Amino acid sequence: SLLQSEMQSLPGLKTTYRIIKAGSGASVAKGATVTVHATGIVKETNKKFWSTKDPGQEPFKYQAGVGGVITGWDQGCLGMQLGEERELIIPATEGYGAGGFPAWGIPPGGTLNFTIEVLKIA
């Protein structure tokens, strides 16, 4: 089965991932415009800081593999297939760094736990 219970590592990165729900067809490649549902939780506090599924929020669109989002997300989503849902554990060095993102409640050096679902790849 493609579903994983253990976290998988990414070459050259500290970010780890596991596939929650397998996808099929097209996959996320560098330069593609990807639309996702995303929920982010600060691992240390277990506090949600963002979710596209919350009322008034929209799915998030970004260009893959070009540094438009934090490294752990950018690299951690490459290869995801349409409909796939993946959990990412992103250390601060590949997230918001030593300073965190206080406006979002992400503490200095905070580890991020993202759940990302690919809705569209263009």
Side-chain angles (χ1 to χ4, degrees):
S1 158
L2 282 173
L3 301 185
Q4 299 153 343
S5 54
E6 288 175 27
M7 301 303 286
Q8 310 288 308
S9 57
L10 292 157
L13 294 176
K14 293 188 172 74
T15 294
T16 57
Y17 76 95
R18 71 183 178 98
I19 295 170
I20 298 169
K21 187 179 85 186
S24 61
S27 64
V28 175
K30 187 175 176 176
T33 299
V34 189
T35 305
V36 297
H37 263 316
T39 299
I41 291 167
V42 176
K43 199 165 190 261
E44 288 83 355
T45 60
N46 209 28
K47 281 203 171 112
K48 179 173 74 173
F49 59 86
W50 181 52
S51 179
T52 58
K53 296 182 174 184
D54 284 348
Q57 294 290 322
E58 304 262 327
F60 179 73
K61 188 188 283 191
Y62 74 103
Q63 196 176 4
V66 296
V69 290
I70 56 172
T71 303
W73 168 322
D74 209 17
Q75 299 300 312
C77 289
L78 291 174
M80 281 184 78
Q81 290 183 294
L82 200 55
E84 184 178 321
E85 200 170 331
R86 193 176 273 200
E87 178 187 9
L88 296 173
I89 305 286
I90 304 174
T93 51
E94 291 166 11
Y96 291 105
F101 198 139
W104 279 18
I106 298 168
T111 303
L112 310 177
N113 182 329
F114 269 105
T115 303
I116 296 173
E117 179 185 4
V118 176
L119 303 174
K120 189 177 169 190
I121 301 169

